[in-house]
Amino acid sequence: MSRARQPPLVTGISPKEGAAWTKVTIRGENLGTGPNDLVGLSICGHNCLLTAEWMSASKIVCRVGPAKDDKGEIIVTTKSGGLGTSTVSFKLLRPERIGILDQSAVWVDELNYYDMRTDRNKGISPLSLRPSNPLGIELDRGKIPQKDMELTFPGMSGDFTSENFSATWYLIENHSGSSFEQLKLAAGNLKKQASRKNEGSLAYVKGGLSTFFEAQDALAAIHQRQESDGTERVEGSMTQRLETILNRASDTADTLFQEVLGRKDKADSTRNALNVLQRFKFLFNLPLNIERNIQKGDYDVVINDYEKAKSLFGTTEVPVFKKVYAEVETRIGALRSLLLDKLLQTPSTLHDQKRYIRYLSDLHAPGDPAWLCIYAQHKWILQLMQNCREEFISGQRAGAGALNPEADARPPGLGRLSHTASLKRGGSLRTPRPSTWRFETPQQVQFVEKLSDVVIGQLPNFWKLWISYVNGSLFSETGEKSGQVEKSKKNARQRQNDFKKMIEEMTHRLVKLVRGALLPTTLQQGELSLYGGWENKSELTGAWLTQIIHTVRGCYEALSALEIPNDLLQVIQDLLLELRVHCLMVALLHTTEDVKRLAEKEDWLVDNEGITSLPSRFEQCVVQMLQSLKEPLEIKPGEMNVLQLEQVQDQATELSVGIMKVFIGCLEQLSTKRDAGADPSHDVSVEMSSPDRFPGLQEGFSPTPEQRLLIILSNCQYLERHTFLNLAHHFEKHGLTGTEKITQVSVDAVRQLDRNLFEAYIERRADPIAGSLEPGIYAGYFDWRDCQTPAGVRDYLKEALVNIIAVHAEVFTVSRDLVPWVLSKIVESVADEMCRLMQCVSSFSRNGALQARLELCALRDAVAAYLNTESTASFKLALDALPQLHSGADKKLLEELLNTFKSSMQLQLTCFQPSSVQPIKR
């Protein structure tokens, strides 16, 4: 445990008396170990800690405040020693305040006073001491404009201290509303003031009589002394005779006491030598004391002792003093070199730098140590930034920053960025990282964050050091050493351009290092060897680039808070602009790749609307991409909107259109893809009684090619009606331009795919049904010209209807919205084929015409819900090709047979009822 220090002891104060705000020097013992150790200082009971400047353990400089006590002790309190004592006291003089209209026997400087707040003198106008209300009554200022008063009283003034004072002006201006009684009272007040002034003049004369008498006595004494000293020494005068007698007596005494006087002289010489050693032991012990205090680090004591020795013996001609003082200078020179080495050491704190600079200034070191320190710090920061790159490039951090080769190099989303705290003044740039952070984060991100830490950690102190150099606070914070402060300010003005180049070099180095890691193509060929070398590192995603933008923005905001000129930070703003554009393009490109992989995630499970999860996945993928761009596209103070750049607009629009086209291409790819176990010979004409003909679309379901087409057709309709509109809204919400173009191109592309897929499906389903009609009609060598009386609808037509019902079931299983659209096209194809077949018949018998009309009417009535203009026209043409029925019996038979058909097929034809049909427009 360290030994407790002794309490402070004040043994001297200079001067020992004075008025308030007098600057005093306090000397003593154990006055503290440093400025932070001094916690209390009172003189005559007044707290003077505010103006105290700790110089050393034996010296404190401060100013005396307006204490209540006229005389009191000087009490020093320190953390290490506690409450101190004093062997001396200070007397506080209280000068009487004298107004500008009062008489005084001494000169009163009324233009200067001491301001404790600023520790310097300020000028004050004598007008500020004039009485504010000379009449002594309440002021009642009028509202007459100043210009009107000047016109009414030309050349006059309402100021009673002016030579052109006008009483009328003053009364109108200050007492326009005062009553006559108040003015009478004001006149009485003026008379009383004049009476007191006359009495004061007489008292002034009476009080100065003693001063006049003392002056007369002093002049008389001086006159007498001058007369006695002016006596001339002439031959035979009393002065000459007295001198002769005294010289003779001295010679006789020397002869008699030569030996005694010799011993006395030797003793006196020895005594004088001892007195000199005792009297000047400070100088003789100074070299050793300097060495000891340097070893202990008490540089303040060394400087104070050196200043004292320099003032006493700096110009001495005594050889022994010169010799000792030369040794002192040698020790001080070594101390200057030691302090300069410490000053230029890195790293060091701003407090230590200021301390060493002040020491060197007090020791009158040659050159400009402050500027040498600034230059050394500049080179050190540049080297730190470069070393940061070398550390990552050389692979020293390969183990810490390696990514899992089996994992996706990109994070699944931006959830991790939500933990990034906003930069606050004095706060940390980033939130604490988990223990696995370095194993997940790409090296470029780690590099930019460490580089930003270096800049934010070092550049503020570097800037504060320059500001202290400019305003002179490196040498004194209390207004002392004004000569050194002015010299520092002059040097700073001369080196302002040099310092500006230093800041520019550091900001450019920061920007080029970041460009080398993220935007190497923006560097010149010769700069790649210094700042590049990241070719083998993993490519960053938009999420990581967003984090880097956040880091660089935090660095910019931290430097802006230091009030560094914007022109010096513009290069960082330019970097931010390019990073934001790069992040936008990378996010769009990576989203394109993600969309390509969506086809692999199609599970073919449809919801109640016939939609799979694929459109939702696509919309979610694009929305997540836009949300990830929220921070990069955000416009911070001083930044510009990247989306207002025409080239960026065009590229973003083209990439966005590409994303849409890629997804539509995925749908097209899925429509033509065949599963390994799919049966290509699967035909729609199967037994309706089969229980597993149309199973529910459940997990593990493998659709047929026709079902794929239907599912993708349903997805295409959903894209056009919902997804593209939602994405257009999100694009506009996030500020992306070209939304109309993106939407239009996307809708056109999906409509084209829709048409192609629809035609493919109709061809697969309609052609077999229509193709089965002709063989069915003429099965068994059927002839329209020679046939029996119709007994009902033949089987071929029932089979065609069953096949149409099967198509209806297949479509309805996927999406009921597609049923009217698909069935109307199937019916149109069947009607067209029936029309062709009827028109190809050369002639009909009576029974043949009745059979043909029965089957046509039965087919038309069965699919009436899905007839369109084309199919209706086809049925009409087919019926027109038949002979007309003239016999009432034939018409009745036709009606009975139709009713019989409808009754027998009622269950099968239920799906064709109009109540279940919801036609849509395509």
Side-chain angles (χ1 to χ4, degrees):
M1 180 180 296
S2 62
R3 181 173 60 86
R5 287 184 172 272
Q6 296 296 324
L9 175 63
V10 177
T11 58
I13 184 171
S14 176
K16 295 184 177 181
E17 61 181 17
W21 309 123
T22 299
K23 184 176 180 180
V24 298
T25 300
I26 301 171
R27 297 190 180 276
E29 300 174 359
N30 303 318
L31 299 184
T33 60
N36 296 330
D37 193 37
L38 182 63
V39 296
L41 174 60
S42 63
I43 300 178
C44 297
H46 183 271
N47 186 5
C48 301
L49 184 61
L50 184 61
T51 61
E53 182 182 8
W54 186 89
M55 307 301 291
S56 67
S58 59
K59 178 181 177 182
I60 298 176
V61 177
C62 72
R63 292 188 182 274
V64 181
K68 296 181 179 180
D69 301 330
D70 294 337
K71 190 173 184 180
E73 295 182 337
I74 302 91
I75 303 301
V76 176
T77 306
T78 63
K79 292 180 182 178
S80 59
L83 184 66
T85 57
S86 174
T87 60
V88 295
S89 61
F90 182 85
K91 181 178 181 182
L92 182 65
L93 303 180
R94 300 184 182 276
E96 182 180 359
R97 291 182 62 86
I98 301 174
I100 62 173
L101 302 180
D102 298 331
Q103 295 179 350
S104 174
V106 297
W107 171 256
V108 178
D109 186 2
E110 57 197 21
L111 292 179
N112 291 282
Y113 73 98
Y114 183 79
D115 188 352
M116 167 186 170
R117 294 172 300 175
T118 59
D119 198 19
R120 60 189 181 92
N121 291 336
K122 286 186 175 181
I124 183 173
S125 171
L127 297 179
S128 63
L129 301 176
R130 71 187 184 189
S132 60
N133 186 8
L135 296 184
I137 62 177
E138 183 179 358
L139 296 176
D140 187 2
R141 302 185 184 277
K143 298 182 179 179
I144 302 176
Q146 185 75 12
K147 293 183 178 179
D148 294 347
M149 297 295 293
E150 293 175 354
L151 293 175
T152 307
F153 303 97
M156 307 301 288
S157 173
D159 185 359
F160 58 82
T161 61
S162 174
E163 295 179 358
N164 301 325
F165 173 68
S166 173
T168 306
W169 184 335
Y170 179 81
L171 289 174
I172 293 174
E173 185 177 31
N174 297 282
H175 300 283
S176 59
S178 301
S179 64
F180 182 71
E181 295 299 328
Q182 289 178 320
L183 293 177
K184 287 174 63 178
L185 180 62
N189 292 338
L190 286 176
K191 291 179 181 180
K192 291 179 182 179
Q193 292 180 21
S195 176
R196 286 197 299 268
K197 184 175 182 181
N198 292 334
E199 292 176 0
S201 300
L202 181 60
Y204 164 73
V205 174
K206 290 180 179 180
L209 287 177
S210 61
T211 304
F212 297 149
F213 292 152
E214 290 175 0
Q216 193 274 336
D217 292 342
L219 290 173
I222 292 173
H223 178 68
Q224 182 179 0
R225 181 68 176 270
Q226 286 178 341
E227 286 185 346
S228 63
D229 291 344
T231 303
E232 296 182 2
R233 187 177 62 179
V234 297
E235 188 67 28
S237 65
M238 183 175 59
T239 301
Q240 179 66 33
R241 291 198 302 275
L242 181 59
E243 181 181 5
T244 303
I245 293 172
L246 290 175
N247 288 335
R248 190 164 50 248
S250 177
D251 294 339
T252 302
D254 289 342
T255 303
L256 294 176
F257 299 101
Q258 187 67 39
E259 183 179 355
V260 176
L261 293 177
R263 289 199 303 272
K264 178 179 177 299
D265 290 341
K266 186 176 181 180
D268 289 343
S269 299
T270 304
R271 189 181 302 108
N272 289 337
L274 293 175
N275 288 338
V276 168
L277 290 175
Q278 181 63 28
R279 180 178 178 183
F280 298 104
K281 65 178 181 179
F282 163 75
L283 176 62
F284 295 117
N285 293 334
L286 186 56
L288 182 60
N289 289 338
I290 288 176
E291 191 67 29
R292 291 175 178 174
N293 289 326
I294 289 176
Q295 293 178 358
K296 292 189 296 182
D298 293 338
Y299 302 121
D300 291 302
V301 177
V302 175
I303 293 172
N304 289 336
D305 291 344
Y306 173 66
E307 290 290 340
K308 182 178 178 181
K310 185 175 181 180
S311 62
L312 295 175
F313 307 102
T315 58
T316 183
E317 295 298 330
V318 179
V320 64
F321 290 167
K322 291 178 67 176
K323 181 179 180 180
V324 177
Y325 184 74
E327 186 177 354
V328 171
E329 285 289 357
T330 302
R331 302 291 177 89
I332 293 299
L335 177 59
R336 291 192 188 104
S337 300
L338 174 64
L339 292 176
L340 185 60
D341 292 340
K342 288 181 174 291
L343 175 63
L344 300 182
Q345 283 180 357
T346 53
S348 62
T349 63
L350 181 62
H351 174 73
D352 289 340
Q353 292 168 358
K354 289 183 176 182
R355 192 160 57 95
Y356 292 138
I357 290 172
R358 288 176 186 170
Y359 289 155
L360 290 169
S361 175
D362 292 340
L363 292 174
H364 308 286
D368 191 349
W371 178 252
L372 293 177
C373 178
I374 292 174
Y375 183 79
Q377 287 293 311
H378 164 246
K379 291 298 182 183
W380 179 64
I381 295 174
L382 289 178
Q383 190 60 44
L384 277 181
M385 297 167 67
Q386 199 66 33
N387 290 344
C388 184
R389 169 192 171 272
E390 300 300 331
E391 183 179 354
F392 281 89
I393 294 297
S394 61
Q396 295 179 10
R397 302 178 62 90
L403 295 175
N404 185 357
E406 298 180 358
D408 189 358
R410 292 177 284 159
L414 288 179
R416 65 182 303 279
L417 292 181
S418 63
H419 302 289
T420 305
S422 60
L423 180 67
K424 297 182 179 178
R425 195 181 186 97
S428 176
L429 179 65
R430 296 180 303 278
T431 55
R433 301 292 187 187
S435 58
T436 59
W437 171 73
R438 292 198 178 279
F439 296 94
E440 303 170 352
T441 308
Q443 284 195 326
Q444 295 97 313
V445 180
Q446 296 183 45
F447 165 69
V448 173
E449 292 190 350
K450 183 176 181 181
L451 184 64
S452 178
D453 287 343
V454 170
V455 174
I456 295 177
Q458 303 300 329
L459 199 54
N461 286 338
F462 180 71
W463 179 261
K464 292 175 183 177
L465 180 64
W466 165 256
I467 295 300
S468 300
Y469 181 64
V470 170
N471 59 30
S473 61
L474 280 177
F475 305 99
S476 175
E477 295 181 352
T478 59
E480 294 295 320
K481 309 171 185 176
S482 59
Q484 294 176 348
V485 171
E486 292 301 323
K487 181 181 178 181
S488 172
K489 292 181 178 180
K490 181 180 178 181
N491 292 338
R493 287 192 295 269
Q494 294 175 350
R495 290 172 170 148
Q496 189 169 0
N497 290 333
D498 295 335
F499 181 78
K500 182 178 180 180
K501 292 179 180 178
M502 289 181 179
I503 295 293
E504 287 179 347
E505 186 176 0
M506 284 189 282
T507 54
H508 279 78
R509 180 69 60 86
L510 168 66
V511 168
K512 288 182 179 179
L513 287 171
V514 175
R515 286 182 183 275
L518 305 174
L519 306 170
T521 57
T522 62
L523 293 176
Q524 298 180 2
Q525 190 64 32
E527 296 174 336
L528 290 175
S529 59
L530 292 175
Y531 309 113
W534 298 86
E535 293 80 7
N536 297 328
K537 308 303 178 183
S538 60
E539 181 183 0
L540 297 183
T541 65
W544 292 122
L545 289 173
T546 299
Q547 183 169 333
I548 289 175
I549 291 172
H550 179 82
T551 302
V552 177
R553 273 178 171 163
C555 181
Y556 176 81
E557 291 171 2
L559 298 182
S560 298
L562 299 175
E563 299 181 355
I564 297 177
N566 290 332
D567 59 329
L568 298 179
L569 302 179
Q570 184 59 42
V571 64
I572 302 180
Q573 280 287 15
D574 296 340
L575 171 64
L576 275 172
L577 178 61
E578 295 189 37
L579 285 176
R580 293 163 64 203
V581 173
H582 181 62
C583 179
L584 172 61
M585 301 307 167
V586 167
L588 291 171
L589 290 173
H590 286 172
T591 303
T592 304
E593 298 299 322
D594 293 339
V595 169
K596 286 181 180 179
R597 291 192 290 269
L598 286 180
E600 304 170 3
K601 301 178 182 179
E602 177 59 276
D603 52 12
W604 302 105
L605 298 178
V606 298
D607 58 12
N608 293 333
E609 297 181 359
I611 311 300
T612 67
S613 62
L614 199 60
S616 176
R617 291 175 184 271
F618 169 64
E619 182 176 348
Q620 183 180 7
C621 181
V622 177
V623 171
Q624 285 183 349
M625 179 268 293
L626 293 174
Q627 290 176 347
S628 70
L629 292 174
K630 181 178 180 181
E631 183 173 353
L633 297 181
E634 183 182 3
I635 305 173
K636 295 287 187 178
E639 296 181 354
M640 68 180 301
N641 187 354
V642 297
L643 297 176
Q644 290 181 349
L645 300 175
E646 184 175 355
Q647 184 177 3
V648 176
Q649 290 180 4
D650 296 340
Q651 291 180 357
T653 301
E654 291 300 324
L655 290 175
S656 300
V657 169
I659 293 175
M660 304 298 180
K661 290 184 176 180
V662 164
F663 181 67
I664 295 172
C666 289
L667 295 179
E668 185 175 6
Q669 176 187 354
L670 288 173
S671 67
T672 59
K673 180 180 178 181
R674 284 183 175 271
D675 291 335
D679 183 9
S681 63
H682 182 76
D683 188 13
V684 70
S685 56
V686 297
E687 293 292 337
M688 284 294 294
S689 59
S690 176
D692 57 350
R693 173 62 189 86
F694 299 106
L697 302 185
Q698 301 175 355
E699 186 175 358
F701 167 70
S702 179
T704 64
E706 290 76 13
Q707 289 174 329
R708 287 176 182 270
L709 291 175
L710 290 173
I711 293 173
I712 295 174
L713 277 173
S714 180
N715 285 342
C716 288
Q717 290 185 11
Y718 186 83
L719 284 175
E720 181 179 350
R721 288 180 294 176
H722 299 283
T723 304
F724 288 156
L725 297 179
N726 293 341
L727 291 180
H729 171 72
H730 284 289
F731 277 125
E732 293 177 351
K733 178 181 176 181
H734 290 82
L736 266 72
T737 58
T739 305
E740 295 182 359
K741 179 181 178 181
I742 297 172
T743 305
Q744 187 61 45
V745 173
S746 303
V747 169
D748 292 344
V750 80
R751 284 180 178 175
Q752 182 62 42
L753 176 62
D754 188 284
R755 286 191 294 269
N756 296 338
L757 297 180
F758 180 73
E759 292 174 358
Y761 180 80
I762 295 300
E763 181 180 355
R764 286 171 177 260
R765 288 310 187 200
D767 288 354
I769 297 175
S772 66
L773 293 176
E774 185 173 2
I777 289 175
Y778 297 105
Y781 302 103
F782 179 82
D783 189 356
W784 294 109
R785 293 172 297 181
D786 182 18
C787 61
Q788 299 177 357
T789 302
V793 176
R794 290 183 293 170
D795 291 339
Y796 84 90
L797 187 61
K798 294 180 180 180
E799 182 180 353
L801 287 174
V802 169
N803 288 334
I804 295 175
I805 293 172
V807 173
H808 179 282
E810 183 179 56
V811 177
F812 189 86
T813 304
V814 175
S815 172
R816 66 176 61 189
D817 291 340
L818 292 175
V819 171
W821 180 38
V822 174
L823 265 292
S824 62
K825 202 68 176 177
I826 296 289
V827 170
E828 178 183 341
S829 178
V830 172
D832 183 67
E833 180 64 16
M834 288 296 290
C835 178
R836 184 187 69 81
L837 292 174
M838 293 300 106
Q839 288 178 342
C840 291
V841 178
S842 59
S843 63
F844 292 88
S845 66
R846 176 174 172 271
N847 291 334
L850 184 59
Q851 182 72 40
R853 187 173 297 275
L854 171 63
E855 292 174 353
L856 284 174
C857 291
L859 178 60
R860 181 192 63 188
D861 294 345
V863 296
Y866 301 105
L867 293 177
N868 56 22
T869 304
E870 290 78 5
S871 57
T872 301
S874 296
F875 276 115
K876 185 177 183 304
L877 291 174
L879 291 172
D880 291 343
L882 301 178
Q884 297 296 324
L885 297 180
H886 300 288
S887 171
D890 292 342
K891 294 180 180 180
K892 183 177 180 180
L893 179 60
L894 175 64
E895 184 176 354
E896 291 176 355
L897 293 175
L898 280 175
N899 291 333
T900 302
F901 168 76
K902 293 177 181 179
S903 177
S904 63
M905 294 287 291
Q906 181 180 3
L907 181 61
Q908 289 86 342
L909 298 179
T910 302
C911 62
F912 293 155
Q913 296 300 321
S915 59
S916 64
V917 177
Q918 300 176 0
I920 59 174
K921 294 182 179 180
R922 294 288 297 178

